[in-house]
Amino acid sequence: MVKPPVRAALALAVLSGTLWAGPAAAVGTAREASPSVWAHRAEVTYDSLQQHLYQGPAEHGLYLEKTPLKDGENPHSYLWPLREATAATVDMSELPGVGARYERDAAERFTALRLYFDPRDGRSGYDSYLPAPLGQGGDVFYDDNAVVGLSFLDQYRATGKRPYLDRAMETYSIVSRGWDEDAAKPCPGGMNWVDSPGNTMRAANVTGLAAQLAAELYAVDHDDQLLASAKKWYEWNWSCLRQSPGLYNNSRDDDGTVNKTLWSYNSGAMIGTAATLYRATGDRNYLDRAAEDAKGSLTYWTQEDRLHDQPAIFNAFYFDNLRILDEVRPDRAYRTAAAAYAEQTWRENRTPSDGLFRFQPSGGGDHAPAAQAETLEQSAMVQIFAGLASDRS
């Protein structure tokens, strides 16, 4: 499709960097950028992902973890980066006007995801790395499995094809095993991080993401067990890890020790879960909680360089969940925060020569020109740009 002259000129200015004179200008421009600009950025960022990190059909549709590949590194990515490339591709398939061209790519991503599934003698799950014959396998991390389930559900909603819903339900069953039944532990309950006898941590990420998966499945399937799980898991995070409105401690160890590290995606999962529970049940208490967490988290995360310093993928989760809340209780502040972050990251963290985003080893922070570019963070930026392109609030 030929771009209109104005859009073509604007896209050229974006690519050359001439629109972005400095931080103040970037924030102002973010509020004015059209959906077509965000869509263009999503497309060129996806193209760079595919050119430099996608390994093609000959390698089973898998991705590199990082580029360039170094000696001793795995030949393919771990599960989590592939899941994020999958989520990014589903987002591309839903872009207004151009989404159809990415539908085949999206279907291929789910075929690749299934390569990580391991029956494991009755304790099945998606391994952190490819099982034999393609790899050495890995552990079943419940947070990884929860987000895989969310992607299957997204693809079901995008296509209406029942097998994707069945996979999401299967993944809910896997994640359900993570609930800790030991009533003697401090603050009993919570989801274990990994399916291992050595696990000693009940984590906000897996508990919140599992609650979100259950809530979103309930909104589709209306099974009371799904609703009960969503409520129970959500309430544990709220009761046992909530530090203040919108901010959740990372985890609680079995001995009672609390890791108070804050991550933006833990804020997001709780906002999205509560908004989904409100939409599915009509209980305004959940809507009020979601709005309270959104306000508190935005106040915190938009101060100083806090969003900039978070891993880009965590921010992708956060902004996506703010959009879920925005659908039922609109607030322009949600889009403003996402656009400001996206503008800054496009300007400061993108390497123009190859279109890849490079960050500090944490996955966030200042541009690291010599760093390997990663599937995880490149996919995050596709998701953020595509979300802004689709959100016309």
Side-chain angles (χ1 to χ4, degrees):
M1 181 176 65
V2 178
K3 296 177 183 176
V6 173
R7 182 181 171 191
L10 182 57
L12 181 61
V14 168
L15 287 170
S16 67
T18 57
L19 284 181
W20 321 125
V27 173
T29 306
R31 293 171 180 161
E32 300 166 3
S34 68
S36 64
V37 172
W38 295 118
H40 174 75
R41 292 180 180 182
E43 290 181 81
V44 298
T45 302
Y46 179 82
D47 288 347
S48 293
L49 172 70
Q50 295 302 98
Q51 180 180 351
H52 297 285
L53 288 150
Y54 174 64
Q55 296 181 278
E59 293 292 341
H60 312 282
L62 296 167
Y63 283 78
L64 294 170
E65 181 86 4
K66 304 175 183 180
T67 189
L69 184 68
K70 295 183 178 180
D71 290 343
E73 293 181 337
N74 287 326
H76 309 293
S77 80
Y78 285 96
L79 171 64
W80 188 22
L82 177 60
R83 185 272 172 182
E84 299 313 328
T86 301
T89 311
V90 173
D91 287 347
M92 295 299 296
S93 75
E94 296 178 328
L95 280 178
V98 300
R101 71 181 64 163
Y102 299 101
E103 290 175 357
R104 181 178 294 181
D105 284 11
E108 182 189 85
R109 295 298 97 81
F110 287 94
T111 300
L113 267 181
R114 195 64 180 176
L115 296 174
Y116 289 76
F117 185 81
D118 188 346
R120 288 179 160 265
D121 297 325
R123 291 186 70 83
S124 63
Y126 290 85
D127 282 3
S128 57
Y129 194 70
L130 290 153
L134 295 177
Q136 69 273 19
D139 292 315
V140 172
F141 287 89
Y142 290 122
D143 54 339
D144 287 357
N145 279 257
V147 294
V148 166
L150 286 167
S151 277
F152 277 117
L153 189 53
D154 283 343
Q155 182 71 343
Y156 168 71
R157 286 190 290 247
T159 66
K161 294 181 179 179
R162 178 75 194 198
Y164 292 117
L165 179 59
D166 293 340
R167 293 293 193 211
M169 292 292 293
E170 175 189 53
T171 311
Y172 160 78
S173 297
I174 294 166
V175 173
S176 297
R177 299 198 312 258
W179 181 256
D180 196 304
E181 299 284 359
D182 188 347
K185 292 179 181 177
C187 214
M191 305 291 286
N192 291 310
W193 182 42
V194 60
D195 187 8
S196 169
N199 180 84
T200 60
M201 181 178 71
R202 294 160 290 156
N205 62 353
V206 60
T207 309
L209 292 165
Q212 186 170 11
L213 175 61
E216 293 196 15
L217 281 168
Y218 175 75
V220 173
D221 192 74
H222 305 296
D223 184 312
D224 287 344
Q225 180 58 50
L226 294 167
L227 179 60
S229 295
K231 288 181 174 180
K232 180 171 70 172
W233 300 343
Y234 172 85
E235 293 295 346
W236 188 84
N237 259 9
W238 182 277
S239 300
C240 294
L241 290 177
R242 193 172 190 251
Q243 189 180 114
S244 64
L247 302 178
Y248 290 82
N249 294 320
N250 179 74
S251 58
R252 183 179 286 269
D253 290 349
D254 290 348
D255 65 3
T257 302
V258 175
N259 180 334
K260 296 184 178 181
T261 305
L262 300 173
W263 302 111
S264 56
Y265 76 149
N266 288 334
S267 301
M270 291 294 283
I271 293 166
T273 300
T276 301
L277 284 170
Y278 164 70
R279 191 176 68 242
T281 68
D283 185 342
R284 291 192 62 86
N285 176 54
Y286 289 114
L287 180 59
D288 292 341
R289 287 188 181 193
E292 180 183 28
D293 271 359
K295 181 178 180 180
S297 63
L298 275 175
T299 298
Y300 178 83
W301 289 119
T302 57
Q303 289 181 11
E304 302 169 350
D305 286 328
R306 286 172 178 163
L307 275 178
H308 174 69
D309 291 338
Q310 286 284 293
I313 190 58
F314 290 1
N315 291 335
F317 276 82
Y318 181 53
F319 300 140
D320 186 56
N321 281 290
L322 287 175
R323 282 193 296 276
I324 292 173
L325 175 58
D326 193 58
E327 291 174 1
V328 292
R329 181 177 280 184
D331 189 329
R332 185 70 182 179
Y334 308 151
R335 181 182 176 87
T336 297
Y341 172 81
E343 291 284 5
Q344 179 182 9
T345 310
W346 174 270
R347 185 182 69 253
E348 296 180 3
N349 290 88
R350 181 175 180 270
T351 306
S353 61
D354 57 18
L356 295 172
F357 288 79
R358 291 175 169 85
F359 299 88
Q360 298 299 310
S362 65
D366 295 338
H367 188 222
Q372 292 168 285
E374 302 189 32
T375 292
L376 187 65
E377 309 304 344
Q378 189 75 12
S379 300
M381 297 313 302
V382 175
Q383 293 174 39
I384 291 169
F385 297 143
L388 287 162
S390 300
D391 174 13
R392 297 173 182 270
S393 60

